[in-house]
Amino acid sequence: MPQATLAPLTTLRLGGPVGTVLDLSDPADWLDAARTISAREQNGPLVLGHGSNVIAADVGHPGTVLVMNTCGIAARPLTGTTVAITVQAGHPLADLVHWAAAERLSGIECLAGIPGTVGAAPVQNAGAYGQQIADTLHSVTVWDWDMGCLRTFPARACRLRYRDSRFKRTPGRWTVLTATLHLTRTPAAPITYRPLADELGVSLGERPPVPEVTAAVLANRRRRSLLLDTNGPDARQVGSVFLNPRITTTQAAHWSDRGCPVHRDSDGNLRASAGWLLELVGCQPGQAVADGVRCSERRTLTVTAHGDATATAFDQALAKLAARVATTTGIVLQPEPTHVGQWATSP
């Protein structure tokens, strides 16, 4: 039997052999799975959901890969308008947003179309169109591999920042098992993102019905090639490959005068458009960056893998793009996808 690899567990379809793949579909099996893994591993396992935001090493991962496929939504009313929903970590985030829209529950409608699982959302503090999971997260239940027990963290203890959290900063320490959100039976949150307001045909600050906002987000993401493509030339991708970089007030004034979109993130920091910066230095959709690696057919900020591409080549391609931006602008781009597996050197 061929040895299992990381490649089919990720959307880039890159990555080498693994020791063991353990699929968890039933939450009731968690304690048995944790005991099995602890008997094999000195540290926690490599945990994957849909693998839509990772670059998996060519060398692979010699230990256990835990694939979270647990699904389920449990809703509990708190007040006349507020509902607590506890969601299993393997549940697709896109499915949760669709469910909330059907229930006319506000708080995550702008996260429509984001790939990946609910368990990954607080790790990355997933967000889009001026909304992020931190806006509605109440708590998460995790397994603490150091202590060998279940723990519950309130949202404030998760240290959620722009695409960051305590879980992302200490990979392997905790595995998210469930997330509890507080959603409200009200119109959508006020629209704060201009492209979404334009899509809806409303003014900033308005609160359309939740289903209308979810539909508009999906339409806008589709038009901007922001939906994960499962077929065609852009199928092997991880979405945006760089975070919008943090910049100074002086840099913001300089580059916004030249047309670069600049916004403040939820932490109050100024950030420039990574996609605009890439185009400034000559990158274009469809452009080859390295062997088997090129910008997507419709969007420079999405980089795709092809043929016999390797994770090393993909990683080096991102470093090459970031270096071009830094040389021209002095602005440092940070990769958005996480490196997983056993890299020969620190990426």
Side-chain angles (χ1 to χ4, degrees):
M1 179 180 295
Q3 184 174 12
T5 69
L6 286 165
L9 304 177
T10 73
T11 56
L12 274 175
R13 302 175 200 164
L14 300 175
V18 298
T20 303
V21 176
L22 182 61
D23 184 292
L24 184 73
S25 298
D26 188 343
D29 293 336
W30 171 255
L31 289 178
D32 286 341
R35 293 189 191 100
T36 298
I37 293 168
S38 295
R40 297 174 179 169
E41 308 282 343
Q42 183 175 2
N43 301 309
L46 168 59
V47 181
L48 293 175
H50 295 164
S52 59
N53 196 45
V54 300
I55 306 173
D58 297 319
V59 174
H61 178 73
T64 301
V65 177
L66 175 64
V67 181
M68 295 294 288
N69 281 319
T70 54
C71 290
I73 302 170
R76 176 173 58 92
L78 296 177
T79 68
T81 58
T82 303
V83 178
I85 60 168
T86 297
V87 191
Q88 295 297 323
H91 201 100
L93 179 59
D95 180 78
L96 173 63
V97 176
H98 178 78
W99 175 88
E103 296 290 325
R104 294 182 176 267
L105 290 171
S106 172
I108 56 174
E109 56 275 3
C110 293
L111 308 188
I114 295 179
T117 60
V118 170
V123 176
Q124 183 75 0
N125 191 16
Y129 297 91
Q131 194 174 75
Q132 56 188 359
I133 204 71
D135 298 338
T136 52
L137 185 70
H138 176 263
S139 61
V140 296
T141 299
V142 302
W143 183 263
D144 186 329
W145 291 100
D146 284 2
M147 298 179 65
C149 65
L150 289 169
R151 298 180 65 183
T152 298
F153 288 132
R156 65 180 179 276
C158 298
R159 301 172 193 164
L160 303 180
R161 311 284 290 181
Y162 173 76
R163 306 297 175 267
D164 195 17
S165 69
R166 74 182 301 171
F167 311 117
K168 188 173 181 179
R169 290 178 176 269
T170 52
R173 169 70 191 271
W174 296 286
T175 295
V176 177
L177 300 180
T178 67
T180 298
L181 311 178
H182 285 184
L183 305 182
T184 54
R185 205 172 297 280
T186 63
I191 304 300
T192 61
Y193 192 71
R194 171 61 67 183
L196 182 55
D198 293 344
E199 188 76 41
L200 285 158
V202 302
S203 301
L204 291 174
E206 288 194 37
R207 303 184 64 180
V210 171
E212 291 183 14
V213 175
T214 297
V217 167
L218 289 172
N220 189 263
R221 290 181 73 92
R222 187 174 296 108
R223 184 173 299 109
R224 298 167 60 207
S225 298
L226 289 172
L227 295 178
L228 186 63
D229 181 18
T230 56
N231 296 291
D234 294 340
R236 296 170 62 187
Q237 56 152 295
V238 285
S240 299
V241 291
F242 293 112
L243 299 170
N244 287 329
R246 184 175 173 179
I247 56 175
T248 65
T249 302
T250 301
Q251 287 174 319
H254 176 81
W255 291 109
S256 61
D257 283 347
R258 285 155 179 77
C260 179
V262 174
H263 72 279
R264 287 191 183 274
D265 64 23
S266 58
D267 303 322
N269 299 311
L270 288 166
R271 292 188 179 272
S273 167
W276 188 92
L277 292 170
L278 288 173
E279 293 180 3
L280 175 71
V281 299
C283 298
Q284 297 295 329
Q287 179 180 346
V289 185
D291 288 342
V293 182
R294 64 173 182 256
C295 296
S296 79
E297 296 293 325
R298 299 179 61 186
R299 185 171 183 258
T300 305
L301 190 54
T302 297
V303 176
T304 57
H306 303 267
D308 295 329
T310 65
T312 300
F314 194 91
D315 190 59
Q316 290 173 346
L318 299 192
K320 178 181 176 181
L321 293 175
R324 288 170 64 177
V325 170
T327 299
T328 302
T329 69
I331 297 174
V332 177
L333 295 181
Q334 297 291 338
E336 181 163 353
T338 301
H339 291 85
V340 299
Q342 191 173 54
W343 290 80
T345 58
S346 299

Coordinates of all heavy atoms in Angstrom, one line a residue, residues 91-130:
H91 N -16.6 21.4 11.1 CA -17.7 21.9 10.3 C -17.2 22.9 9.4 O -16.5 23.8 9.7 CB -18.8 22.5 11.3 CG -20.1 22.5 10.6 ND1 -21.1 21.6 10.9 CD2 -20.7 23.4 9.7 CE1 -22.2 21.9 10.2 NE2 -21.9 22.9 9.5
P92 N -17.6 22.8 8.1 CA -17.1 23.9 7.1 C -17.7 25.2 7.5 O -18.8 25.4 7.8 CB -17.8 23.4 5.8 CG -18.0 21.9 6.0 CD -18.3 21.8 7.4
L93 N -16.8 26.2 7.5 CA -17.2 27.6 7.9 C -18.2 28.1 6.9 O -19.2 28.8 7.3 CB -15.9 28.5 7.9 CG -16.2 30.0 8.2 CD1 -16.8 30.1 9.6 CD2 -14.9 30.8 8.1
A94 N -18.1 27.8 5.6 CA -19.0 28.3 4.6 C -20.4 27.7 4.9 O -21.4 28.5 4.7 CB -18.5 27.9 3.2
D95 N -20.5 26.5 5.3 CA -21.8 25.9 5.7 C -22.4 26.6 6.9 O -23.6 26.8 6.9 CB -21.6 24.4 5.9 CG -22.9 23.7 6.2 OD1 -23.7 23.4 5.3 OD2 -23.2 23.5 7.4
L96 N -21.6 26.9 7.9 CA -22.1 27.6 9.0 C -22.7 29.0 8.7 O -23.8 29.3 9.1 CB -21.0 27.8 10.1 CG -21.4 28.6 11.3 CD1 -22.5 28.0 12.1 CD2 -20.1 28.9 12.2
V97 N -22.0 29.7 7.8 CA -22.5 31.0 7.4 C -23.8 30.9 6.6 O -24.7 31.7 6.8 CB -21.4 31.7 6.5 CG1 -22.0 33.1 6.0 CG2 -20.1 32.0 7.3
H98 N -23.9 29.9 5.8 CA -25.1 29.6 5.0 C -26.3 29.3 6.0 O -27.4 29.8 5.9 CB -24.9 28.5 4.1 CG -26.1 28.1 3.3 ND1 -26.6 28.8 2.2 CD2 -27.0 27.0 3.5 CE1 -27.7 28.2 1.8 NE2 -28.0 27.2 2.5
W99 N -26.0 28.5 7.0 CA -27.0 28.1 8.0 C -27.5 29.4 8.8 O -28.7 29.6 9.0 CB -26.4 27.1 9.0 CG -27.3 26.7 10.1 CD1 -28.3 25.8 10.1 CD2 -27.4 27.4 11.4 NE1 -28.9 25.8 11.4 CE2 -28.4 26.7 12.2 CE3 -26.7 28.4 12.0 CZ2 -28.7 27.1 13.5 CZ3 -27.0 28.8 13.3 CH2 -28.0 28.1 14.0
A100 N -26.5 30.2 9.2 CA -26.9 31.4 9.9 C -27.7 32.4 9.1 O -28.7 33.0 9.6 CB -25.6 32.1 10.4
A101 N -27.4 32.5 7.8 CA -28.2 33.3 6.9 C -29.6 32.8 6.8 O -30.6 33.6 6.8 CB -27.5 33.4 5.5
A102 N -29.8 31.5 6.7 CA -31.1 30.9 6.6 C -31.9 31.1 7.8 O -33.1 31.3 7.8 CB -31.0 29.4 6.3
E103 N -31.2 31.2 9.0 CA -31.9 31.4 10.3 C -32.0 32.9 10.6 O -32.5 33.3 11.6 CB -31.1 30.8 11.4 CG -31.0 29.3 11.3 CD -32.4 28.6 11.6 OE1 -33.1 29.2 12.5 OE2 -32.7 27.6 11.0
R104 N -31.5 33.8 9.6 CA -31.5 35.2 9.8 C -30.8 35.7 11.1 O -31.2 36.6 11.8 CB -32.9 35.8 9.7 CG -33.5 35.6 8.3 CD -34.9 36.2 8.2 NE -35.3 36.1 6.8 CZ -35.2 37.0 5.8 NH1 -34.6 38.1 6.1 NH2 -35.6 36.8 4.6
L105 N -29.6 35.0 11.4 CA -28.8 35.3 12.5 C -27.6 36.1 12.0 O -26.9 35.7 11.2 CB -28.3 34.1 13.2 CG -29.4 33.3 13.9 CD1 -28.9 31.9 14.4 CD2 -30.0 34.1 15.1
S106 N -27.4 37.3 12.6 CA -26.4 38.2 12.2 C -25.1 38.1 13.0 O -25.1 37.7 14.2 CB -26.9 39.7 12.4 OG -25.9 40.6 12.2
G107 N -24.0 38.3 12.3 CA -22.7 38.4 13.0 C -21.6 37.7 12.2 O -20.4 38.0 12.4
I108 N -21.9 36.8 11.3 CA -20.9 36.2 10.5 C -21.2 36.2 9.0 O -20.6 35.5 8.2 CB -20.6 34.7 10.9 CG1 -22.0 33.9 10.9 CG2 -20.0 34.6 12.3 CD1 -21.8 32.4 11.1
E109 N -22.2 37.0 8.6 CA -22.6 37.1 7.2 C -21.5 37.4 6.2 O -21.5 37.0 5.1 CB -23.8 38.0 7.1 CG -23.6 39.4 7.5 CD -23.9 39.6 9.0 OE1 -24.1 38.6 9.7 OE2 -23.8 40.7 9.5
C110 N -20.6 38.3 6.7 CA -19.5 38.7 5.7 C -18.4 37.7 5.6 O -17.5 37.9 4.8 CB -18.9 40.0 6.2 SG -20.0 41.4 6.1
L111 N -18.5 36.6 6.3 CA -17.5 35.5 6.2 C -17.9 34.5 5.1 O -17.2 33.5 5.0 CB -17.3 34.8 7.5 CG -17.0 35.7 8.8 CD1 -16.7 34.8 10.0 CD2 -15.9 36.7 8.4
A112 N -19.0 34.7 4.4 CA -19.4 33.8 3.4 C -18.3 33.6 2.3 O -17.6 34.5 1.9 CB -20.7 34.4 2.7
G113 N -18.2 32.3 1.9 CA -17.2 32.0 0.9 C -15.8 31.8 1.4 O -14.9 31.4 0.6
I114 N -15.5 32.0 2.7 CA -14.1 31.7 3.2 C -14.0 30.2 3.3 O -14.8 29.6 4.0 CB -13.9 32.4 4.6 CG1 -13.9 33.9 4.4 CG2 -12.6 32.0 5.2 CD1 -13.7 34.7 5.7
P115 N -13.0 29.6 2.7 CA -12.8 28.2 2.8 C -12.3 27.8 4.2 O -11.9 28.6 5.0 CB -11.8 27.9 1.7 CG -11.0 29.1 1.7 CD -12.0 30.2 1.9
G116 N -12.3 26.5 4.5 CA -11.8 26.0 5.7 C -12.9 25.6 6.7 O -14.1 25.6 6.4
T117 N -12.4 25.3 7.9 CA -13.3 24.8 9.0 C -13.5 25.8 10.1 O -12.8 26.8 10.2 CB -12.8 23.5 9.6 OG1 -11.5 23.8 10.1 CG2 -12.6 22.4 8.5
V118 N -14.6 25.6 10.9 CA -14.8 26.4 12.0 C -13.7 26.4 13.0 O -13.3 27.4 13.6 CB -16.2 26.0 12.7 CG1 -16.4 26.7 14.0 CG2 -17.3 26.3 11.7
G119 N -13.1 25.2 13.2 CA -11.9 25.1 14.1 C -10.8 26.0 13.7 O -10.0 26.5 14.6
A120 N -10.6 26.2 12.4 CA -9.5 27.0 12.0 C -9.7 28.5 12.1 O -8.8 29.3 12.1 CB -9.1 26.6 10.5
A121 N -11.0 28.8 12.1 CA -11.4 30.3 12.1 C -10.8 31.1 13.3 O -10.3 32.1 13.1 CB -12.9 30.4 12.0
P122 N -10.9 30.6 14.5 CA -10.3 31.4 15.6 C -8.8 31.3 15.6 O -8.1 32.2 16.1 CB -10.8 30.7 16.9 CG -11.3 29.4 16.5 CD -11.7 29.5 15.0
V123 N -8.2 30.3 15.0 CA -6.7 30.2 14.9 C -6.2 31.3 14.1 O -5.2 32.0 14.4 CB -6.3 28.8 14.3 CG1 -4.8 28.8 14.1 CG2 -6.7 27.7 15.2
Q124 N -6.9 31.6 12.9 CA -6.5 32.6 12.0 C -7.2 33.9 12.2 O -6.9 34.9 11.6 CB -6.8 32.1 10.6 CG -6.4 33.0 9.4 CD -4.9 33.0 9.2 OE1 -4.1 32.3 9.9 NE2 -4.4 33.8 8.2
N125 N -8.2 33.9 13.1 CA -9.1 35.0 13.3 C -9.7 35.4 11.9 O -9.5 36.5 11.4 CB -8.5 36.2 14.0 CG -9.6 37.3 14.3 OD1 -10.8 37.0 14.4 ND2 -9.1 38.5 14.6
A126 N -10.3 34.4 11.2 CA -10.8 34.6 9.9 C -11.7 35.8 9.8 O -12.5 36.1 10.6 CB -11.5 33.3 9.4
G127 N -11.5 36.5 8.7 CA -12.3 37.7 8.5 C -12.3 38.2 7.0 O -11.5 37.8 6.2
A128 N -13.3 39.0 6.7 CA -13.4 39.6 5.4 C -14.5 40.7 5.4 O -15.4 40.7 6.3 CB -13.8 38.6 4.3
Y129 N -14.4 41.7 4.5 CA -15.4 42.7 4.4 C -15.7 43.5 5.7 O -16.8 43.8 6.0 CB -16.7 42.2 3.8 CG -16.5 41.6 2.4 CD1 -16.1 40.3 2.2 CD2 -16.6 42.4 1.2 CE1 -15.9 39.7 0.9 CE2 -16.4 41.9 0.0 CZ -16.1 40.5 -0.2 OH -15.8 40.0 -1.4
G130 N -14.7 43.7 6.5 CA -14.8 44.4 7.7 C -15.4 43.6 8.9 O -15.7 44.2 10.0

